[in-house]
Amino acid sequence: MAKSKNKSNSSPRRKRYNRNARLQNAKKWAEQYNGKNIAKGYSNWFGVDLLCAVTELEILGYKFKQSYKEHVKQSLVAMQKQKERKRYEKEQEQNYEAENFYFIAGYTSNGVPFGITTEKIEIESVDIARKWINHDKKPFFMDDEDLPF
């Protein structure tokens, strides 16, 4: 059997079905299903979220308690909020890292910035000022190694 060049075909066909195809195949699948939670099994087998699974199983004639449907809706909303919070925290972390740099020379392959931090610049500038003051107004020459960049 030859491998497919198209990446979208790497997942099982049943997980790429549209609703009509799922509903046609779900009848036979449901007859053979032996698990405890048919909605969870449907969700896993066809690669849809739990709310979609409940909706489609109701179309096929299965009954679910209203409390279960509400619980599913609440869990999906909670998962979405958690995903948004993680995205926000990651953005804040990246902004914080960028704010700590005086000069960003580049980024690693993982996206971590590297360069000169503002703390390093402040330390270096204080050291340069001390050297200037301690030279008793003699001409001050800075060695290249003393430069912060």
Side-chain angles (χ1 to χ4, degrees):
M1 191 161 126
K3 282 190 173 183
S4 174
K5 292 181 182 179
N6 191 348
K7 291 263 185 189
S8 64
N9 290 338
S10 62
S11 63
R13 180 175 291 181
R14 69 179 188 268
K15 292 192 176 193
R16 292 182 277 132
Y17 285 155
N18 63 16
R19 177 171 277 181
N20 290 334
R22 279 193 305 269
L23 290 173
Q24 287 177 356
N25 288 289
K27 293 175 187 175
K28 185 176 179 183
W29 174 85
E31 292 171 1
Q32 298 173 350
Y33 183 72
N34 295 325
K36 294 180 181 178
N37 187 341
I38 193 164
K40 180 81 170 162
Y42 186 97
S43 172
N44 288 334
W45 182 257
F46 289 106
V48 295
D49 66 22
L50 206 50
L51 187 60
C52 179
V54 169
T55 303
E56 291 179 8
L57 286 168
E58 284 183 327
I59 292 170
L60 293 173
Y62 290 88
K63 305 277 186 208
F64 294 95
K65 293 180 181 178
Q66 187 63 31
S67 61
Y68 178 72
K69 291 190 283 188
E70 290 299 322
H71 176 72
V72 167
K73 287 178 186 176
Q74 289 174 356
S75 67
L76 288 176
V77 168
M79 285 172 39
Q80 182 64 29
K81 285 182 180 179
Q82 183 179 16
K83 187 185 271 187
E84 289 174 3
R85 186 173 55 248
K86 282 185 179 181
R87 185 181 310 125
Y88 175 77
E89 288 172 357
K90 186 175 181 180
E91 288 174 2
Q92 293 295 52
E93 183 178 310
Q94 289 174 346
N95 289 340
Y96 176 74
E97 287 175 352
E99 289 173 2
N100 285 337
F101 281 97
Y102 180 79
F103 174 75
I104 297 176
Y107 293 88
T108 65
S109 59
N110 292 334
V112 178
F114 63 89
I116 301 171
T117 62
T118 52
E119 181 181 350
K120 179 78 172 167
I121 288 292
E122 289 170 0
I123 291 170
E124 294 293 327
S125 61
V126 168
D127 288 344
I128 291 169
R130 283 187 187 143
K131 285 180 183 179
W132 179 258
I133 292 169
N134 292 335
H135 274 295
D136 298 322
K137 299 181 183 175
K138 294 178 184 173
F140 175 69
F141 296 100
M142 185 179 297
D143 198 12
D144 283 347
E145 292 179 11
D146 291 338
L147 292 174
F149 44 85

